[in-house]
Every structure is written in structure tokens, then in C-alpha cells.
């Protein structure tokens, strides 16, 4: 069992009622991401004034959210917004955050929630050098965020979710579903009995809001995992069930996986696949979220896929 240090669909009404920080003004980095989409909904419905930052062009009209691009230099806010934004949530990759330290400083940041990943532990010994590099990047970025925050008097919180899924936009469960739809089966290495804790993006977003509001969360790191622990094999069977298809699981040796992955990586959608992914099918990737439950009121849902969680 992989365990590290420290921290349904949850609606705004399900957020902890004893949260210390009342809704005010919050800046969101990575607002168009999967978690960002869920986060904006939670924040606006809870009464927060939201300034959302995204590198992507946003073609939408939303009177509850002010959209800006996170330029390196400070930029003017809409007249209806105060220039000072004390509260920040970053759901962009944590290694992107240091690029925007000057932006946070310019707006008087005093409290920051950043999203990392338990991949910093589960991929640090991967046989894939790119995955090892990502794990190292996550670990180093966490240290940079902590060092910057401490030197600027900013309260920081880092959340490390496990395997995120939801809304048909994730790169985990949704990719399994697309593979099943395309090929009619799913390949497994060995028994594929490694344990998983899929966590819905909405639960990650809810944890971000709870961490931002909770006084006891200051300068803490929380691992947040899904509300159900199941084997990789059973997780894939859940996807077949959600697709209303009979499970067709094909156990193949690692040598066959190497050939299959080499062929699949010729297709753009599967360029991120690796043999290491198959090797982890028999490895437990389990993290305790007791601290987050006790201190943030974190109550993640069990792994139950709805129609909206499947790719269209």
C-alpha cells in the first residue's frame, strides 16, 4: 500500500458548514481544466466572486465569472472587480504555478490551494523515464510552491488526488472507455489485481474549496483519494457496465503489451501510453485520506460512473 505524508458528487450545500473563511473573491488558475470546470460551478453557486485565468481562449458569457489570460505581468481587472485577490486556487499542473508567482504577488495573494498528484509517489520508480521525470517534477514543484509561499507570507495548501475521472474529459477512465468502444475489449497484464481509488473531479474541486476555507488546513498537504478501493480489473469491468457492454478482458503477457503499445503510440490519442502503465496494473496505488476527512469534511463518492462521466 502506497502511503505518503498528510490530506460525492459534492454540491455547494455539502461543503463543510464550519468553514472559517466566508466566500469573497478568489482567483482560479487552470479554470478550463476538468477540475476547473467543476470548481467554477461550486464557487459561483456558493457565492464567491471569481476571476478565472486560462491560457485558452474562452468563448462564453458568464456574469458570475470574470475571464482573463494569466499574463506574466499584472493586467487590469474589470471595473467590477477589486484589484486585490487574496484567495487563490490553482488546478493547473502544479509545475505551471511558479510561472505566475508575480501575478499572485501583484494581486496581494494571502492564501493558496494548489493541486499536485499522488503520481509523485506512484511513478517515482517507474520503468518509464518520462514518468520518473514527471514524478520528480511534481516533487520539486511542491517544494517551490511551499518556499515561495513561506517567503511571501502566503498560507499554502497542497492537495494530491489519486486517479481523477469525470465528465468524459479525463485521461484515465475516459480513455479506457474509448478503447473499449473502439476495439470491443480491454487488455490486462496478468491478474490486474492492483488496487485503485478513482476520485471524481467534482470531489477534487470540493476539496479545493474546503481547503481554501478551513483555518486548520493552512500550510498542510493532503492526499485525497476516491470513496471506494477496487482492483484495476474490477475498475475496468465497471467501465464495461457503464457502457452497457459485456466485459471482454484479454490477459496478455508483457512482451505482447510492448508490441501493442508501440503500435498504439502511432495514433495521437495513445501517444502517452507506456508499458509502465501495464506493469502498474498489479501494483497497489492506495492512499489514506483520513486527514482530509477529519479536517476538510472530505467525503468522496464511490466509483459509480454516470452517463455524463463517459466520453461522447
Amino acid at each position: 500500500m502506497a502511503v505518503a505524508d498528510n490530506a460525492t458528487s459534492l454540491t455547494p450545500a455539502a461543503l463543510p458548514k464550519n468553514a472559517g473563511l466566508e466566500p469573497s473573491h478568489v482567483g482560479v488558475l487552470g479554470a478550463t481544466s476538468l477540475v476547473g470546470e467543476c470548481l467554477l460551478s461550486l464557487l459561483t453557486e456558493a457565492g464567491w466572486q471569481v476571476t478565472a485565468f486560462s491560457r485558452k481562449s474562452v468563448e462564453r458569457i458568464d456574469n458570475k465569472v470574470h475571464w482573463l489570460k494569466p499574463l506574466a505581468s499584472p493586467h487590469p481587472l474589470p471595473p467590477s472587480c477589486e484589484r486585490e485577490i487574496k484567495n487563490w486556487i490553482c488546478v493547473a499542473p502544479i509545475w505551471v504555478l511558479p510561472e505566475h508567482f508575480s501575478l499572485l504577488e501583484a494581486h496581494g495573494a494571502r492564501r493558496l490551494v494548489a493541486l499536485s498528484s499522488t503520481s509523485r509517489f506512484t511513478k517515482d520508480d517507474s520503468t518509464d523515464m518520462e514518468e520518473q521525470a514527471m514524478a520528480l517534477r511534481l516533487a520539486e514543484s511542491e517544494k517551490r510552491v511551499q518556499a515561495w509561499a513561506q517567503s511571501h507570507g502566503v498560507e499554502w495548501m497542497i492537495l494530491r488526488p489519486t486517479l481523477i475521472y469525470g465528465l468524459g474529459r479525463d485521461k484515465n477512465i475516459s480513455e479506457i472507455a474509448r478503447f473499449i468502444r473502439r476495439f470491443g475489449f480491454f487488455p490486462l497484464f496478468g491478474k490486474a489485481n492492483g488496487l485503485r481509488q478513482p476520485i471524481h473531479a467534482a470531489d477534487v474541486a470540493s476539496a479545493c474549496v474546503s481547503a481554501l476555507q478551513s483555518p486548520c488546513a493552512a500550510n498542510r498537504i493532503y492526499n485525497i483519494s476516491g470513496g471506494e478501493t477496487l482492483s484495476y480489473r474490477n475498475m475496468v469491468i465497471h467501465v464495461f457496465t457503464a457502457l452497457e457492454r459485456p466485459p471482454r478482458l484479454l490477459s496478455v503477457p508483457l512482451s505482447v503489451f510492448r508490441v501493442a503499445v508501440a503500435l498504439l503510440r502511432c495514433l495521437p490519442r495513445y501517444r502517452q501510453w507506456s508499458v509502465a502503465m501495464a506493469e502498474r496494473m498489479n501494483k497497489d496505488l492506495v492512499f489514506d485520506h483520513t486527514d482530509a476527512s477529519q479536517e476538510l469534511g472530505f467525503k468522496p463518492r464511490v466509483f459509480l460512473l454516470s452517463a455524463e462521466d463517459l466520453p461522447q
Side-chain angles (χ1 to χ4, degrees):
M1 177 179 293
V3 180
D5 58 311
N6 302 349
T8 15
S9 171
L10 285 187
T11 62
L15 294 175
K17 297 183 181 300
N18 61 348
L21 181 65
E22 292 298 322
S24 56
H25 194 177
V26 60
V28 177
L29 292 167
T32 57
S33 67
L34 168 57
V35 176
E37 179 179 341
C38 299
L39 180 62
L40 294 187
S41 177
L42 281 176
L43 290 170
T44 55
E45 291 181 33
W48 288 83
Q49 179 185 1
V50 181
T51 300
F53 297 82
S54 177
R55 289 176 173 175
K56 299 179 181 178
S57 297
V58 179
E59 297 179 0
R60 70 181 76 175
I61 298 176
D62 188 340
N63 294 329
K64 296 182 180 180
V65 178
H66 297 284
W67 287 91
L68 294 173
K69 287 189 176 182
L71 305 177
S73 59
H75 35 242
L77 295 176
S80 59
C81 287
E82 299 176 3
R83 183 164 182 77
E84 186 175 65
I85 308 178
K86 292 184 178 181
N87 307 299
W88 290 81
I89 300 177
C90 177
V91 289
I94 193 170
W95 54 74
V96 172
L97 185 52
E99 300 175 17
H100 305 301
F101 284 161
S102 60
L103 175 68
L104 273 63
E105 293 168 19
H107 292 298
R110 286 295 174 265
R111 196 166 174 88
L112 167 67
V113 177
L115 206 60
S116 183
S117 172
T118 54
S119 290
R120 66 156 293 182
F121 304 110
T122 60
K123 295 181 179 179
D124 63 345
D125 60 350
S126 171
T127 56
D128 186 299
M129 298 306 294
E130 291 183 7
E131 290 187 346
Q132 282 192 33
M134 185 183 73
L136 180 60
R137 195 179 188 187
L138 286 167
E140 291 178 342
S141 298
E142 287 183 8
K143 292 179 181 178
R144 289 188 65 185
V145 169
Q146 292 176 58
W148 171 83
Q150 290 168 357
S151 65
H152 289 80
V154 176
E155 292 182 339
W156 58 270
M157 290 129 281
I158 294 175
L159 303 183
R160 300 184 186 125
T162 50
L163 185 151
I164 299 175
Y165 73 97
L167 307 186
R169 292 184 54 191
D170 65 277
K171 296 180 180 179
N172 301 302
I173 300 303
S174 291
E175 289 306 316
I176 293 175
R178 288 190 180 96
F179 189 99
I180 292 171
R181 279 177 174 163
R182 183 165 187 172
F183 299 106
F185 72 98
F186 195 81
L188 297 177
F189 171 49
K191 294 182 179 180
N193 56 5
L195 298 179
R196 297 293 185 273
Q197 299 165 305
I199 181 170
H200 197 282
D203 294 338
V204 177
S206 181
C208 288
V209 178
S210 297
L212 186 67
Q213 293 183 285
S214 175
C216 66
N219 307 326
R220 295 289 307 279
I221 299 177
Y222 296 91
N223 295 324
I224 54 174
S225 48
E228 179 178 6
T229 301
L230 68 170
S231 69
Y232 191 97
R233 173 182 289 271
N234 285 336
M235 184 177 73
V236 174
I237 290 175
H238 274 55
V239 180
F240 274 100
T241 301
L243 293 171
E244 298 182 342
R245 297 194 180 196
R248 290 192 174 93
L249 306 174
L250 179 63
S251 295
V252 299
L254 194 60
S255 58
V256 174
F257 255 108
R258 289 195 177 95
V259 175
V261 167
L263 294 174
L264 284 171
R265 292 186 68 165
C266 296
L267 303 174
R269 179 167 294 281
Y270 302 107
R271 281 178 184 162
Q272 301 304 314
W273 283 39
S274 68
V275 175
M277 293 170 59
E279 294 172 336
R280 279 195 300 276
M281 289 182 187
N282 293 287
K283 180 179 179 181
D284 291 347
L285 309 181
V286 178
F287 292 81
D288 179 36
H289 61 243
T290 300
D291 287 347
S293 295
Q294 294 176 346
E295 299 173 16
L296 305 180
F298 179 63
K299 297 179 181 179
R301 74 193 72 186
V302 298
F303 182 55
L304 182 62
L305 291 168
S306 66
E308 70 174 6
D309 292 324
L310 297 172
Q312 300 303 312

